[in-house]
Amino acid sequence: ILVLVLLFFWIRGFRSQQVLRQQRERDIKASCPHYVIDAVFDPDKKTISAKQEISIQNNYGKELTELCFHLYPNAFISEDMVPFPKNDLAVAYPEGFGPGKIDIKQVKTDFSPLKYQVKDTILKVFLPAPLAIGESLKVNIEFESFLPPSVGRFGYGKNTFNGGNWYPILAVYENNQWRKDPYYAIRDPFYSETS
């Protein structure tokens, strides 16, 4: 009988741990941005066309009137902006400079278009109504990324395609503001939320 009683409590404790783990996983999933991306890569055109849905829960302690996303491919628009030290351009672009970028085609939520603004590597999305603390929102972005002839994180070479940070990435919200750090030329310039 003692063995049965101990077995009963062991099984009950195991079930409780499973329930707690599942709840924790649901809480983490709800609190982190969640991306679903349907993309088509065209190696001949060196483009990635995509539709992206981002689920966001406002856990930032303040209602939000706008969202900011990094558009890292736009750092490759011109030779003046590329994220390489100037003396490394010949190595980064062995066949000569060519631009890369990301074109935003549409931003919407619940089939309603949203106003937005693109400035350099930042996409600012204006919300139609403030997103209250704890509320969730799904934002849909349709875009096309163009790979440059660069052998860096984002680009292509003779036998390679590199697609690092090719899609809009929600900026980190910190100290009551969106972090809009640029794509720096040295070190690891990315600061992102776990998603």
Side-chain angles (χ1 to χ4, degrees), residues 92-132:
Y93 289 90
E95 304 296 322
F97 176 79
K101 65 178 180 170
I102 185 170
D103 281 343
I104 303 299
K105 309 276 187 195
Q106 183 180 52
V107 181
K108 64 182 182 177
T109 183
D110 297 328
F111 307 104
S112 298
L114 293 174
K115 292 182 181 179
Y116 64 91
Q117 175 185 59
V118 174
K119 184 175 182 190
D120 296 327
T121 60
I122 297 296
L123 166 67
K124 187 184 289 189
V125 177
F126 303 97
L127 301 178
L131 185 63

Short mmCIF file of all heavy atoms in Angstrom, two decimals, residues 92-132:
data_model
loop_
_atom_site.label_atom_id
_atom_site.label_comp_id
_atom_site.label_asym_id
_atom_site.label_seq_id
_atom_site.Cartn_x
_atom_site.Cartn_y
_atom_site.Cartn_z
N ALA A 92 34.54 43.19 -49.70
CA ALA A 92 33.11 42.96 -49.52
C ALA A 92 32.36 42.89 -50.84
O ALA A 92 31.36 42.18 -50.96
CB ALA A 92 32.51 44.06 -48.65
N TYR A 93 32.84 43.63 -51.83
CA TYR A 93 32.21 43.66 -53.16
C TYR A 93 33.26 43.29 -54.22
O TYR A 93 33.72 44.14 -54.98
CB TYR A 93 31.65 45.06 -53.45
CG TYR A 93 30.44 45.41 -52.64
CD1 TYR A 93 30.56 46.03 -51.40
CD2 TYR A 93 29.16 45.14 -53.11
CE1 TYR A 93 29.44 46.36 -50.65
CE2 TYR A 93 28.04 45.47 -52.37
CZ TYR A 93 28.19 46.07 -51.14
OH TYR A 93 27.08 46.39 -50.40
N PRO A 94 33.65 42.02 -54.30
CA PRO A 94 34.72 41.63 -55.22
C PRO A 94 34.41 41.89 -56.70
O PRO A 94 35.33 42.07 -57.49
CB PRO A 94 34.92 40.14 -54.95
CG PRO A 94 33.71 39.69 -54.23
CD PRO A 94 33.14 40.89 -53.54
N GLU A 95 33.14 41.93 -57.06
CA GLU A 95 32.74 42.21 -58.45
C GLU A 95 32.33 43.67 -58.65
O GLU A 95 31.77 44.02 -59.68
CB GLU A 95 31.59 41.28 -58.86
CG GLU A 95 31.88 39.80 -58.71
CD GLU A 95 32.99 39.32 -59.63
OE1 GLU A 95 33.05 39.80 -60.79
OE2 GLU A 95 33.80 38.49 -59.19
N GLY A 96 32.53 44.50 -57.66
CA GLY A 96 32.12 45.90 -57.72
C GLY A 96 30.82 46.12 -56.96
O GLY A 96 30.04 45.19 -56.74
N PHE A 97 30.59 47.36 -56.56
CA PHE A 97 29.41 47.68 -55.76
C PHE A 97 28.12 47.51 -56.55
O PHE A 97 28.05 47.83 -57.74
CB PHE A 97 29.48 49.11 -55.23
CG PHE A 97 28.25 49.51 -54.46
CD1 PHE A 97 28.06 49.09 -53.16
CD2 PHE A 97 27.23 50.25 -55.07
CE1 PHE A 97 26.91 49.42 -52.47
CE2 PHE A 97 26.08 50.59 -54.39
CZ PHE A 97 25.91 50.17 -53.08
N GLY A 98 27.11 47.02 -55.87
CA GLY A 98 25.73 46.96 -56.37
C GLY A 98 24.84 47.09 -55.16
O GLY A 98 25.15 46.57 -54.08
N PRO A 99 23.72 47.80 -55.27
CA PRO A 99 22.88 48.04 -54.10
C PRO A 99 22.06 46.82 -53.67
O PRO A 99 21.78 45.94 -54.47
CB PRO A 99 21.96 49.17 -54.55
CG PRO A 99 21.87 49.01 -56.02
CD PRO A 99 23.20 48.47 -56.47
N GLY A 100 21.69 46.83 -52.43
CA GLY A 100 20.72 45.89 -51.86
C GLY A 100 19.72 46.71 -51.08
O GLY A 100 20.01 47.85 -50.71
N LYS A 101 18.55 46.16 -50.85
CA LYS A 101 17.55 46.93 -50.11
C LYS A 101 16.36 46.04 -49.79
O LYS A 101 16.29 44.88 -50.18
CB LYS A 101 17.08 48.13 -50.92
CG LYS A 101 16.35 47.75 -52.21
CD LYS A 101 15.88 48.98 -52.96
CE LYS A 101 15.16 48.59 -54.24
NZ LYS A 101 14.49 49.72 -54.88
N ILE A 102 15.40 46.64 -49.09
CA ILE A 102 14.12 46.00 -48.82
C ILE A 102 13.03 47.01 -49.17
O ILE A 102 13.09 48.16 -48.74
CB ILE A 102 14.01 45.50 -47.35
CG1 ILE A 102 12.72 44.74 -47.11
CG2 ILE A 102 14.16 46.64 -46.38
CD1 ILE A 102 12.67 44.02 -45.75
N ASP A 103 12.09 46.59 -49.99
CA ASP A 103 10.94 47.43 -50.35
C ASP A 103 9.72 46.95 -49.57
O ASP A 103 9.36 45.78 -49.66
CB ASP A 103 10.63 47.33 -51.85
CG ASP A 103 11.54 48.17 -52.70
OD1 ASP A 103 12.20 49.08 -52.16
OD2 ASP A 103 11.61 47.93 -53.92
N ILE A 104 9.11 47.85 -48.84
CA ILE A 104 7.87 47.54 -48.12
C ILE A 104 6.71 47.81 -49.06
O ILE A 104 6.56 48.92 -49.56
CB ILE A 104 7.74 48.40 -46.83
CG1 ILE A 104 8.95 48.18 -45.92
CG2 ILE A 104 6.43 48.09 -46.11
CD1 ILE A 104 9.16 46.76 -45.44
N LYS A 105 5.92 46.79 -49.32
CA LYS A 105 4.80 46.91 -50.26
C LYS A 105 3.51 47.30 -49.54
O LYS A 105 2.71 48.07 -50.06
CB LYS A 105 4.56 45.58 -50.99
CG LYS A 105 5.79 44.97 -51.61
CD LYS A 105 6.04 45.55 -52.95
CE LYS A 105 7.18 44.78 -53.62
NZ LYS A 105 7.70 45.47 -54.74
N GLN A 106 3.33 46.74 -48.33
CA GLN A 106 2.07 46.98 -47.61
C GLN A 106 2.26 46.62 -46.14
O GLN A 106 2.97 45.67 -45.81
CB GLN A 106 0.96 46.12 -48.22
CG GLN A 106 -0.40 46.34 -47.59
CD GLN A 106 -1.45 45.46 -48.26
OE1 GLN A 106 -1.28 44.25 -48.38
NE2 GLN A 106 -2.55 46.07 -48.67
N VAL A 107 1.60 47.38 -45.26
CA VAL A 107 1.54 47.08 -43.83
C VAL A 107 0.08 47.17 -43.43
O VAL A 107 -0.59 48.16 -43.73
CB VAL A 107 2.39 48.07 -42.99
CG1 VAL A 107 2.32 47.72 -41.51
CG2 VAL A 107 3.83 48.11 -43.48
N LYS A 108 -0.42 46.11 -42.77
CA LYS A 108 -1.83 46.13 -42.38
C LYS A 108 -2.04 45.27 -41.14
O LYS A 108 -1.17 44.52 -40.72
CB LYS A 108 -2.72 45.64 -43.52
CG LYS A 108 -2.48 44.20 -43.92
CD LYS A 108 -3.37 43.81 -45.10
CE LYS A 108 -3.16 42.35 -45.47
NZ LYS A 108 -4.04 41.91 -46.53
N THR A 109 -3.22 45.42 -40.57
CA THR A 109 -3.66 44.56 -39.49
C THR A 109 -5.16 44.33 -39.68
O THR A 109 -5.88 45.25 -40.06
CB THR A 109 -3.37 45.17 -38.10
OG1 THR A 109 -3.77 44.23 -37.11
CG2 THR A 109 -4.06 46.49 -37.87
N ASP A 110 -5.59 43.12 -39.46
CA ASP A 110 -7.01 42.77 -39.63
C ASP A 110 -7.58 43.31 -40.94
O ASP A 110 -8.69 43.84 -40.99
CB ASP A 110 -7.84 43.29 -38.45
CG ASP A 110 -7.43 42.67 -37.14
OD1 ASP A 110 -7.01 41.49 -37.14
OD2 ASP A 110 -7.52 43.34 -36.11
N PHE A 111 -6.79 43.21 -41.98
CA PHE A 111 -7.19 43.62 -43.33
C PHE A 111 -7.39 45.14 -43.46
O PHE A 111 -7.96 45.60 -44.43
CB PHE A 111 -8.44 42.87 -43.79
CG PHE A 111 -8.28 41.39 -43.66
CD1 PHE A 111 -8.90 40.69 -42.63
CD2 PHE A 111 -7.49 40.69 -44.56
CE1 PHE A 111 -8.73 39.32 -42.51
CE2 PHE A 111 -7.31 39.32 -44.44
CZ PHE A 111 -7.94 38.63 -43.41
N SER A 112 -6.93 45.91 -42.48
CA SER A 112 -6.98 47.37 -42.57
C SER A 112 -5.56 47.88 -42.79
O SER A 112 -4.66 47.54 -42.02
CB SER A 112 -7.54 47.97 -41.28
OG SER A 112 -8.85 47.53 -41.07
N PRO A 113 -5.33 48.70 -43.81
CA PRO A 113 -3.99 49.24 -44.04
C PRO A 113 -3.54 50.12 -42.87
O PRO A 113 -4.37 50.80 -42.25
CB PRO A 113 -4.13 50.07 -45.31
CG PRO A 113 -5.45 49.75 -45.89
CD PRO A 113 -6.29 49.15 -44.81
N LEU A 114 -2.27 50.09 -42.59
CA LEU A 114 -1.69 50.95 -41.55
C LEU A 114 -0.76 51.96 -42.21
O LEU A 114 -0.09 51.65 -43.20
CB LEU A 114 -0.88 50.11 -40.55
CG LEU A 114 -1.67 49.14 -39.68
CD1 LEU A 114 -0.71 48.30 -38.85
CD2 LEU A 114 -2.63 49.88 -38.78
N LYS A 115 -0.72 53.15 -41.66
CA LYS A 115 0.22 54.16 -42.14
C LYS A 115 1.61 53.77 -41.62
O LYS A 115 1.75 53.29 -40.50
CB LYS A 115 -0.16 55.54 -41.63
CG LYS A 115 -1.44 56.06 -42.24
CD LYS A 115 -1.75 57.45 -41.74
CE LYS A 115 -3.06 57.94 -42.35
NZ LYS A 115 -3.41 59.27 -41.89
N TYR A 116 2.60 54.03 -42.47
CA TYR A 116 3.97 53.72 -42.07
C TYR A 116 4.94 54.68 -42.74
O TYR A 116 4.59 55.37 -43.69
CB TYR A 116 4.33 52.27 -42.40
CG TYR A 116 4.33 51.93 -43.87
CD1 TYR A 116 5.50 52.04 -44.62
CD2 TYR A 116 3.18 51.49 -44.51
CE1 TYR A 116 5.51 51.72 -45.96
CE2 TYR A 116 3.18 51.17 -45.85
CZ TYR A 116 4.36 51.29 -46.57
OH TYR A 116 4.37 50.97 -47.90
N GLN A 117 6.16 54.68 -42.22
CA GLN A 117 7.20 55.55 -42.73
C GLN A 117 8.52 54.77 -42.72
O GLN A 117 8.82 54.09 -41.73
CB GLN A 117 7.31 56.78 -41.83
CG GLN A 117 8.42 57.73 -42.15
CD GLN A 117 8.47 58.83 -41.09
OE1 GLN A 117 8.64 58.55 -39.91
NE2 GLN A 117 8.31 60.07 -41.53
N VAL A 118 9.26 54.85 -43.82
CA VAL A 118 10.57 54.21 -43.90
C VAL A 118 11.61 55.31 -43.93
O VAL A 118 11.55 56.23 -44.76
CB VAL A 118 10.70 53.32 -45.16
CG1 VAL A 118 12.13 52.80 -45.30
CG2 VAL A 118 9.71 52.17 -45.11
N LYS A 119 12.56 55.24 -43.00
CA LYS A 119 13.68 56.18 -42.99
C LYS A 119 14.94 55.39 -42.74
O LYS A 119 15.12 54.81 -41.66
CB LYS A 119 13.49 57.25 -41.91
CG LYS A 119 14.58 58.28 -41.94
CD LYS A 119 14.34 59.41 -40.97
CE LYS A 119 15.48 60.42 -41.11
NZ LYS A 119 15.45 61.41 -40.06
N ASP A 120 15.78 55.32 -43.75
CA ASP A 120 17.02 54.55 -43.70
C ASP A 120 16.71 53.08 -43.34
O ASP A 120 16.04 52.42 -44.09
CB ASP A 120 18.03 55.17 -42.74
CG ASP A 120 18.49 56.56 -43.20
OD1 ASP A 120 18.56 56.78 -44.42
OD2 ASP A 120 18.76 57.42 -42.34
N THR A 121 17.17 52.62 -42.19
CA THR A 121 16.98 51.21 -41.82
C THR A 121 15.86 51.02 -40.79
O THR A 121 15.81 49.99 -40.12
CB THR A 121 18.29 50.62 -41.26
OG1 THR A 121 18.67 51.36 -40.10
CG2 THR A 121 19.40 50.64 -42.30
N ILE A 122 14.96 51.98 -40.68
CA ILE A 122 13.87 51.88 -39.71
C ILE A 122 12.51 52.00 -40.41
O ILE A 122 12.31 52.90 -41.23
CB ILE A 122 13.98 52.98 -38.62
CG1 ILE A 122 15.27 52.81 -37.81
CG2 ILE A 122 12.76 52.97 -37.70
CD1 ILE A 122 15.36 51.54 -36.99
N LEU A 123 11.62 51.09 -40.07
CA LEU A 123 10.22 51.15 -40.49
C LEU A 123 9.40 51.52 -39.27
O LEU A 123 9.43 50.80 -38.26
CB LEU A 123 9.76 49.79 -41.03
CG LEU A 123 8.25 49.58 -41.19
CD1 LEU A 123 7.68 50.48 -42.29
CD2 LEU A 123 7.95 48.11 -41.50
N LYS A 124 8.72 52.66 -39.33
CA LYS A 124 7.85 53.09 -38.23
C LYS A 124 6.41 52.85 -38.67
O LYS A 124 5.99 53.33 -39.72
CB LYS A 124 8.07 54.57 -37.92
CG LYS A 124 7.31 55.04 -36.68
CD LYS A 124 7.47 56.54 -36.46
CE LYS A 124 8.86 56.87 -36.00
NZ LYS A 124 8.97 58.29 -35.58
N VAL A 125 5.67 52.08 -37.87
CA VAL A 125 4.28 51.75 -38.16
C VAL A 125 3.41 52.49 -37.15
O VAL A 125 3.59 52.34 -35.94
CB VAL A 125 4.03 50.23 -38.07
CG1 VAL A 125 2.56 49.91 -38.29
CG2 VAL A 125 4.91 49.49 -39.08
N PHE A 126 2.47 53.28 -37.67
CA PHE A 126 1.57 54.06 -36.81
C PHE A 126 0.31 53.25 -36.55
O PHE A 126 -0.37 52.83 -37.50
CB PHE A 126 1.24 55.39 -37.48
CG PHE A 126 2.46 56.21 -37.80
CD1 PHE A 126 3.02 56.18 -39.07
CD2 PHE A 126 3.08 56.96 -36.82
CE1 PHE A 126 4.16 56.91 -39.36
CE2 PHE A 126 4.22 57.70 -37.10
CZ PHE A 126 4.77 57.67 -38.38
N LEU A 127 0.00 53.03 -35.28
CA LEU A 127 -1.18 52.24 -34.91
C LEU A 127 -2.43 53.10 -34.97
O LEU A 127 -2.40 54.27 -34.58
CB LEU A 127 -0.99 51.64 -33.52
CG LEU A 127 0.24 50.74 -33.36
CD1 LEU A 127 0.34 50.24 -31.92
CD2 LEU A 127 0.19 49.57 -34.33
N PRO A 128 -3.56 52.55 -35.42
CA PRO A 128 -4.79 53.34 -35.53
C PRO A 128 -5.37 53.73 -34.17
O PRO A 128 -6.06 54.73 -34.04
CB PRO A 128 -5.74 52.42 -36.29
CG PRO A 128 -5.21 51.05 -36.09
CD PRO A 128 -3.73 51.18 -35.90
N ALA A 129 -5.06 52.92 -33.15
CA ALA A 129 -5.48 53.20 -31.77
C ALA A 129 -4.36 52.72 -30.86
O ALA A 129 -3.65 51.76 -31.20
CB ALA A 129 -6.78 52.48 -31.44
N PRO A 130 -4.17 53.34 -29.71
CA PRO A 130 -3.11 52.90 -28.81
C PRO A 130 -3.28 51.42 -28.41
O PRO A 130 -4.40 50.97 -28.19
CB PRO A 130 -3.25 53.81 -27.59
CG PRO A 130 -3.94 55.03 -28.12
CD PRO A 130 -4.87 54.53 -29.19
N LEU A 131 -2.17 50.72 -28.35
CA LEU A 131 -2.15 49.33 -27.91
C LEU A 131 -1.90 49.34 -26.41
O LEU A 131 -0.81 49.68 -25.95
CB LEU A 131 -1.06 48.55 -28.64
CG LEU A 131 -0.99 47.05 -28.38
CD1 LEU A 131 -2.27 46.35 -28.85
CD2 LEU A 131 0.23 46.44 -29.05
N ALA A 132 -2.95 49.00 -25.65
CA ALA A 132 -2.87 49.06 -24.19
C ALA A 132 -1.95 47.97 -23.64
O ALA A 132 -1.70 46.95 -24.30
CB ALA A 132 -4.27 48.92 -23.59
#
